Amino acid sequence: MTRSFPPQLKKFESERIAMVTVQILDRGIKDTAVLRAMRTVPRHQFIPKEYQKLAYDDGPLPIGYGQTISQPYIVAYMTEVAKPTPDKRALEVGTGSGYQAAILAEIVKEVYSVEIVPELAKESADRLARLGYKNITIRFGDGYRGWKEHSPFDIIMVTAAVEQIPQPLIEQLAENGRMVIPIGAPDEVQELILIEKKYGKIEKHRLTFVRFVPFKRL
Ligand code: SAH
């Protein structure tokens, strides 16, 4: 998707380019579409005013309601693992600020994202509309159930830590689809898992250790 942001969004452009070089490219992310998306999306627009100066720093940041926007490297890493291409459709569980949804939407055809905090669902839907994203649909709800009406999804990305892989998400993953999900108890180190569906069967690959906010249920 090609869009041109208004001039005020050009702010922080040099910080953003530097962020991608130092935190993402130099740490081994190679997918050119992912690198381009990370250089394009104005991350500072997804962060509360008081933290905006830290938008391109190497860590997560608070976005209110006890939630966080993930570290840029983790966003890039999870996106690369998901193998996004322009023909694909993606489901995200845990919209938060909408940043990960925007990164995906720069590359794939359609993004559906579910958020359990109603205020965050509303704020990020407004933000993404203001930034001109037309291929992202957000709804408030419990993402444990996925989004059956729009399934199957080529990509499912979960951005809150869950103790067990939700069965509805496995069902809503397309053949040859890829799900990236942090598994583990809240407040402990969790493991990022890649799940692939091949001939209707599930293959699990353990990727790395991560720390995400806990998955909630309605
Ligand atoms: N992807 C987000 C990161 C948000 S942190 C970003 O780019 O900013 C994880 C988010 O998952 C939080 O906003 C939290 O409210 C949400 N969440 C937790 N449990 C959920 C559930 N069951 N369904 C949907 N969203 C959930």
Side-chain angles (χ1 to χ4, degrees):
M1 185 174 131
T2 321
R3 280 160 317 83
S4 59
F5 294 111
Q8 69 270 26
L9 298 184
K10 294 256 180 207
K11 222 176 134 187
F12 296 114
E13 200 167 17
S14 56
E15 285 92 331
R16 188 159 56 249
I17 303 297
M19 168 190 88
V20 174
T21 304
V22 176
Q23 300 175 33
I24 294 168
L25 193 59
D26 289 358
R27 288 186 190 149
I29 304 295
K30 291 187 180 69
D31 185 320
T32 51
V34 175
L35 294 167
R36 182 171 35 77
M38 298 293 298
R39 288 191 187 104
T40 305
V41 179
R43 185 173 161 92
H44 61 282
Q45 290 287 319
F46 294 77
I47 285 164
K49 274 260 173 315
E50 63 265 40
Y51 300 113
Q52 250 176 31
K53 280 205 210 65
L54 307 175
Y56 298 97
D57 284 7
D58 193 10
L61 287 168
I63 53 170
Y65 314 97
Q67 305 304 325
T68 56
I69 179 174
S70 306
Q71 179 193 18
Y73 173 74
I74 284 293
V75 174
Y77 179 76
M78 288 176 71
T79 310
E80 183 174 67
V81 167
K83 293 211 170 130
T85 48
D87 53 322
K88 290 187 178 172
R89 301 166 66 255
L91 171 72
E92 179 192 25
V93 175
T95 316
S97 67
Y99 180 70
Q100 173 71 76
I103 294 289
L104 279 169
E106 290 285 337
I107 309 170
V108 305
K109 189 165 60 183
E110 287 164 14
V111 178
Y112 296 88
S113 187
V114 185
E115 170 56 53
I116 206 164
V117 176
E119 293 88 347
L120 284 174
K122 168 91 172 64
E123 283 170 24
S124 52
D126 291 349
R127 170 180 297 122
L128 291 163
R130 200 170 65 234
L131 291 171
Y133 288 96
K134 295 190 169 39
N135 58 342
I136 306 175
T137 313
I138 290 174
R139 90 175 159 80
F140 154 71
D142 184 351
Y144 188 93
R145 297 168 187 283
W147 199 332
K148 198 157 193 278
E149 301 88 306
H150 297 291
S151 68
F153 300 101
D154 307 297
I155 293 171
I156 297 181
M157 204 176 269
V158 180
T159 66
V162 67
E163 299 209 27
Q164 272 173 0
I165 304 163
Q167 187 59 32
L169 299 185
I170 292 177
E171 283 158 16
Q172 292 173 29
L173 190 62
E175 179 62 26
N176 292 315
R178 296 166 78 83
M179 172 164 23
V180 189
I181 180 167
I183 303 286
D187 308 317
E188 276 178 29
V189 171
Q190 305 122 15
E191 202 162 20
L192 197 64
I193 306 283
L194 166 67
I195 292 162
E196 289 183 274
K197 198 184 255 187
K198 288 182 183 161
Y199 304 105
K201 289 213 173 71
I202 289 304
E203 282 178 18
K204 287 186 205 174
H205 312 268
R206 302 163 67 174
L207 301 174
T208 185
F209 293 100
V210 287
R211 200 177 269 273
F212 275 85
V213 297
F215 202 88
K216 297 196 285 191
R217 299 300 315 274
L218 279 184

